[in-house]
């Protein structure tokens, strides 16, 4: 289950995503992410940060996404 929140409806390039897994290892958890899509998108990737402290091999201790 996912929920998207736009804190400022005039800035559609910035939003927050809440993920609540229905199954799997993280079932029952609630994980919040912050996403910012730059003006140069398509040449520059979106910036995504995990706001929830979590252990995952692709997420650093400060919430940066490493892919």
């Amino acid at each position: 289950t996912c929920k998207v929140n736009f804190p400022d409806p005039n800035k559609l390039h910035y939003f927050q995503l809440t993920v609540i897994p229905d199954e799997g290892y993280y079932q029952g958890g609630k994980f919040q992410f912050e996403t910012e899509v730059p003006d140069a998108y398509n040449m520059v990737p979106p910036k995504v940060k995990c706001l929830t402290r979590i252990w995952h091999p692709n997420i650093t201790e400060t919430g940066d996404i490493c892919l």
Side-chain angles (χ1 to χ4, degrees):
T1 304
C2 296
K3 296 178 183 177
V4 178
N5 176 41
F6 292 91
D8 183 349
N10 296 317
K11 295 182 181 179
L12 297 180
H13 64 279
Y14 174 77
F15 57 92
Q16 296 171 339
L17 176 68
T18 302
V19 179
I20 304 169
D22 295 332
E23 58 185 63
Y25 186 75
Y26 295 103
Q27 178 180 4
K30 182 177 181 181
F31 307 98
Q32 296 181 333
F33 296 86
E34 179 179 79
T35 305
E36 185 172 354
V37 181
D39 291 335
Y41 176 70
N42 206 10
M43 298 306 282
V44 178
K47 295 178 184 175
V48 181
K49 185 167 188 151
C50 183
L51 302 176
T52 305
R53 188 174 169 106
I54 182 176
W55 185 90
H56 189 279
N58 292 341
I59 301 176
T60 67
E61 289 182 12
T62 58
D64 297 321
I65 308 295
C66 307
L67 295 176

